Amino acid sequence: MKAFRGEILSVPDDPAHAGAEAIRHHEDGLLVVEDGLVLACGPATELADRFGDVPFEKLEGLIVPGFVDAHVHYPQIERIASHGEQLMQWLERHIFPAEMAFADRAHADAVAAFFLDELLRHGTTSALVFATVHPGSVDALFEAALARDMRIVSGKVLMDQGPEGLRDSVESGRADTEALIARWRGRGRLGYAVTPRFAPTSSRAQLEDAGRLLAAHPDVLLHTHLSENPGEIAYVAERFPEAADYLDVYDRFGLVGPRSVFAHCVHMSDRALGRMAEAGTGIAFCPTSNLFLGSGLFDLAQADRHGVKVGIGTDVGAGTSLSVLHTLGEAYRICQLQGCCLDPFRALHLATAGGARVMGITDRVGALLPGQEADFVLLDCAATPLLARRCAGAPLHDRLFALQVLGDDRAVTGTWLRGRPAHPGAKLISRARRPARRGPAWKERRR
Ligand code: GUN
Ligand code: ZN
């Protein structure tokens, strides 16, 4: 048993529904961890009777649950910031060529290791991740995640109508998916997602088969893209004239349910959102991606009106940062452009417990509740001179908002997975120039 003492904040429930009750803040808090799980989390004085003898580490900063990235593409990390196109042309020009390189397992291994170390450095401990069409790209990611003890859900991309060199078939897609599920089921903190890229790159037969795979494996997710870009939506309407809308294309193949996660959902009808709410389907809101590709503004208020569950996705490489903190700042701006105001506590909820809900892992992570895995992040409100000035003497609400608007990986002092400092290798490079007082990773290195 061990403990961590410091200022602790978590938002297990959505403040939009639960109000201020949803916010758990302990100015002098104690997080008690046993065998990697949270045993207790509360005011240090209240827990002193029960855990006074437990050795604790004092952490300077704000302790929050590890971030959950509900939609990101690891093979695209090296194509982030690719200039000049919107979705369909961007895929053709920048992304498909990059993904072809993942036929090479050594390349996949190298990128997977870099990507996961970057996630940890940015404070992300759980993620729903796109790989490529190559099954080896999933093996590479899962092996690297297992070595780091990260909670990663991924799957081989199904795309039998994709470009030459990046195409599977209904049969190979099914066989590879089945083999990956069998190979990785129950290992570490990994999960599988049946992953048709999006309706334009799969045949009807493949979408139907994806529905069969989802039904055959009650423990897997369905992960894809939906209604991101007007050109994409027009193309889908042309290819599937029988469907009521884009969501209905997936629905007709049994792909809309409580284990489904759709990235983007920027241009949605009330019918489609009503159907998502009824089915218990989740949305990954990807602000930086939607701005970068000029896709449009996700309407959080509309999703709220229907009661659809929402998480936050960085969607790198269309997204411009792996920092969930920074992504929350962009989410705020997108809401502002539509006359709606995203509260910083709600934003933190969406990026932690909200994302966990979308991924179906609220029993495991997201809120530092007893029994959950002790994945957490230490944030530094003085990480930059400007943050320090803005946050000096400021109340929690203002500090949290400043972290979202001004913060990024620089504000993440350390990341812990199941109560252990995460993969020191990731920190050695990034933290080498920081003063010792800032983080346990640095201290680890000096020991
Ligand atoms: N739609 C289909 N594939 C992709 C992708 O790789 N990125 C984004 N942003 N949208 C997609
Ligand atoms: Zn995406």
Side-chain angles (χ1 to χ4, degrees):
M1 205 187 291
K2 58 181 158 183
F4 302 88
R5 188 164 177 173
E7 184 178 7
I8 304 175
L9 171 67
S10 72
V11 191
D13 299 307
D14 190 339
H17 312 302
E21 293 285 288
I23 301 160
R24 302 198 182 178
H25 178 228
H26 313 296
E27 225 168 282
D28 178 15
L30 194 71
L31 175 67
V32 187
V33 179
E34 188 174 44
D35 298 330
L37 301 180
V38 175
L39 192 60
C41 183
T45 45
E46 273 179 31
L47 294 175
D49 284 355
R50 281 167 68 202
F51 302 108
D53 295 341
V54 178
F56 67 84
E57 193 176 337
K58 180 93 176 77
L59 298 179
E60 296 296 338
L62 182 64
I63 299 167
V64 298
F67 297 124
V68 177
D69 189 339
H71 179 72
V72 59
H73 299 247
Y74 98 82
Q76 298 179 8
I77 184 80
E78 293 176 342
R79 289 295 169 273
I80 194 168
S82 287
H83 180 260
E85 312 289 355
Q86 292 209 350
L87 177 63
M88 301 303 252
Q89 292 71 33
W90 172 82
L91 286 171
E92 295 257 340
R93 183 174 158 203
H94 300 296
I95 296 307
F96 290 155
E99 292 195 6
M100 284 178 198
F102 285 72
D104 175 7
R105 176 62 196 267
H107 176 69
D109 284 333
V111 176
F114 174 75
F115 169 80
L116 292 179
D117 287 347
E118 280 293 282
L119 283 193
L120 291 172
R121 204 172 62 73
H122 286 78
T124 297
T125 52
S126 299
L128 179 54
V129 185
F130 253 71
T132 67
V133 72
H134 315 94
S137 72
V138 180
D139 288 321
L141 181 70
F142 279 167
E143 269 182 25
L146 197 59
R148 289 162 179 76
D149 195 30
M150 293 177 75
R151 188 162 274 290
I152 296 293
V153 179
S154 187
K156 171 219 132 51
V157 178
L158 300 169
M159 46 191 300
D160 68 338
Q161 302 296 301
E164 205 181 325
L166 211 58
R167 217 182 270 157
D168 57 2
S169 66
V170 177
E171 295 72 28
S172 72
R174 154 167 285 266
D176 288 342
T177 300
E178 289 282 13
L180 283 163
I181 292 172
R183 185 146 69 244
W184 289 100
R185 176 172 273 140
R187 293 177 69 184
R189 305 165 83 194
L190 307 175
Y192 198 86
V194 174
T195 309
R197 178 168 216 119
F198 64 161
T201 46
S202 282
S203 63
R204 281 181 169 71
Q206 186 166 63
L207 292 172
E208 200 174 322
D209 209 50
R212 276 196 288 267
L213 284 163
L214 188 64
H217 299 287
D219 56 336
V220 308
L221 301 187
L222 184 283
H223 183 200
T224 189
H225 299 91
L226 173 64
S227 293
E228 179 177 2
N229 167 285
E232 168 211 17
I233 295 166
Y235 179 70
V236 170
E238 209 175 285
R239 250 198 77 198
F240 299 91
E242 70 279 15
D245 50 39
Y246 197 159
L247 180 78
D248 193 43
V249 173
Y250 294 132
D251 212 358
R252 283 164 178 259
F253 296 109
L255 300 176
V256 178
R259 292 180 278 131
S260 306
V261 183
F262 294 106
H264 304 299
C265 304
V266 171
H267 310 278
M268 296 290 283
S269 66
D270 285 318
R271 188 215 75 82
L273 284 167
R275 171 67 189 128
M276 288 179 89
E278 174 193 74
T281 298
I283 294 175
F285 171 19
C286 306
T288 71
S289 167
N290 297 158
L291 293 173
F292 181 73
L293 290 182
S295 301
L297 306 177
F298 172 70
D299 191 341
L300 180 61
Q302 186 195 17
D304 284 346
R305 277 199 298 280
H306 290 276
V308 182
K309 54 192 188 191
V310 176
I312 298 292
T314 63
D315 194 31
V316 164
T320 53
S321 170
L322 282 179
S323 168
V324 170
L325 272 183
H326 171 77
T327 305
L328 293 178
E330 297 296 296
Y332 177 82
R333 294 172 175 94
I334 285 189
C335 290
Q336 282 291 86
L337 281 165
Q338 299 170 94
C340 121
C341 181
L342 179 59
D343 171 80
F345 293 105
R346 179 166 198 224
L348 181 64
H349 167 78
L350 295 179
T352 53
R357 188 160 166 244
V358 163
M359 289 177 66
I361 51 174
T362 45
D363 55 334
R364 306 299 175 95
V365 296
L368 299 177
L369 296 173
Q372 287 188 334
E373 293 155 354
D375 290 355
F376 61 93
V377 172
L378 185 63
L379 300 178
D380 180 3
C381 294
T384 68
L386 184 56
L387 258 174
R389 243 180 140 81
R390 177 63 184 86
C391 292
L396 176 64
H397 171 283
D398 293 20
R399 285 184 285 137
L400 187 61
F401 187 53
L403 281 166
Q404 293 166 11
V405 176
L406 304 172
D408 49 31
D409 52 319
R410 291 168 297 175
V412 176
T413 311
T415 304
W416 283 256
L417 293 167
R418 292 208 264 203
R420 289 193 174 151
H423 187 56
K427 305 279 174 168
L428 294 183
I429 304 155
S430 62
R431 300 294 176 206
R433 278 171 290 135
R434 304 193 73 164
R437 70 171 175 83
R438 293 207 172 199
W442 169 265
K443 284 185 207 145
E444 279 280 315
R445 184 173 175 238
R446 304 274 299 222
R447 253 176 231 147

